[in-house]
Amino acid sequence: MKNQTTQNELAETRLYTGRLMTPDDVVAALSDRDLDERTRIGRRWMFCCDVNPKMFEQLRGIRLDSLALRVTGFVSSLGGTYAVLTHQVAGHQHRLLLPLYDAEVQEAIIGAANEPHGFLVSNDNQTEAVVLFGNPQFGQELLGLPGLSRQLSREALAVLIPELPSVIMAMTEVARVPSLCEEAIMSVSVTVVMPIRSMLRVDEKLDAMLDEVLG
């Protein structure tokens, strides 16, 4: 246990911002790719994230369906609901943090639970990337996450959004998510999907503009 603690203290952590792609977004992004790649990826929901170069090298050298995966949901002290989708290969762990109170995130989670989905994993903010394909069991686990059908008022969102920095920093703590493999954690990459739609809702002027755009 003492050795485990020492290794955790020395583990490298990196923080990234991610985004969500609808099936239409994915099809549009693939429009200039060859037929084989368009067919292989197809229409699917995509969670876009980044990992550090060491983990990316590991991803390139293994069967992608052999990755360890964990789906976790939690509620903050202020009542905010969050999901953490964790992948791990050897001692390298990636955590995707999703604020479940955001309408765009809810749409993607419910979509991924019922339709094809995957993870577009980039190498440390570079253009090189791999696609991890989701599976039906993972989709069913998504449906068990808290607060997926909960619609919050502007006032409630105004309380939750300021807590996001502290939630993000907590998620960068190595010990926050235990190792999914026999190996001790050597590095942690955290990707955060920002609750953009909720942030816009808090600002009344931006909210009005958003309503006009979304119809």
Side-chain angles (χ1 to χ4, degrees):
M1 181 64 71
K2 184 176 181 179
N3 289 337
Q4 176 78 34
T5 302
T6 301
Q7 288 174 324
N8 281 349
E9 290 173 351
L10 297 176
E12 173 190 7
T13 61
R14 295 199 186 191
L15 180 62
Y16 306 94
T17 55
R19 64 189 181 101
L20 306 172
M21 296 179 72
T22 67
D24 287 342
D25 292 334
V26 173
V27 169
L30 293 172
S31 61
D32 61 346
R33 302 301 180 91
D34 60 54
L35 179 60
D36 287 345
E37 186 171 5
R38 296 201 305 271
T39 302
R40 181 174 66 90
I41 297 178
R43 290 180 55 85
R44 66 181 62 244
W45 293 87
M46 198 73 79
F47 300 93
C48 303
C49 49
D50 281 85
V51 297
N52 66 57
K54 292 179 181 178
M55 183 169 182
F56 191 83
E57 285 299 316
Q58 292 282 337
L59 291 176
R60 291 201 300 188
I62 67 167
R63 286 179 48 194
L64 298 183
D65 60 358
S66 67
L67 275 172
L69 172 64
R70 176 182 178 182
V71 178
T72 308
F74 67 93
V75 181
S76 72
S77 59
L78 295 180
T81 51
Y82 298 86
V84 183
L85 312 183
T86 306
H87 285 96
Q88 185 170 333
V89 54
H92 304 286
Q93 190 177 92
H94 174 260
R95 305 166 184 173
L96 177 61
L97 177 63
L98 301 167
L100 296 176
Y101 53 80
D102 186 73
E104 184 179 14
V105 173
Q106 290 181 0
E107 180 184 16
I109 290 287
I110 294 171
N114 295 287
E115 301 173 42
H117 58 275
F119 297 81
L120 180 64
V121 183
S122 298
N123 182 9
D124 195 38
N125 283 326
Q126 305 302 311
T127 57
E128 188 178 20
V130 296
V131 175
L132 311 180
F133 295 100
N135 58 62
Q137 179 181 352
F138 171 74
Q140 290 304 306
E141 291 185 48
L142 293 178
L143 289 176
L145 290 169
L148 284 181
S149 60
R150 185 182 176 197
Q151 304 300 315
L152 299 182
S153 66
R154 181 183 292 125
E155 291 74 19
L157 291 173
V159 172
L160 293 179
I161 289 173
E163 79 166 353
L164 189 56
S166 61
V167 173
I168 293 172
M169 293 311 298
M171 198 48 54
T172 64
E173 297 172 4
V174 177
R176 183 66 58 170
V177 178
S179 177
L180 308 184
C181 307
E182 293 182 358
E183 293 90 343
I185 297 175
M186 296 184 295
S187 74
V188 174
S189 301
V190 178
T191 300
V192 183
V193 173
M194 299 298 291
I196 299 299
R197 195 171 295 181
S198 296
M199 295 167 75
L200 292 174
R201 289 292 181 196
V202 171
D203 187 297
E204 293 187 10
K205 292 182 180 178
L206 291 176
D207 185 31
M209 293 172 59
L210 182 63
D211 282 339
E212 183 176 348
V213 171
L214 296 179

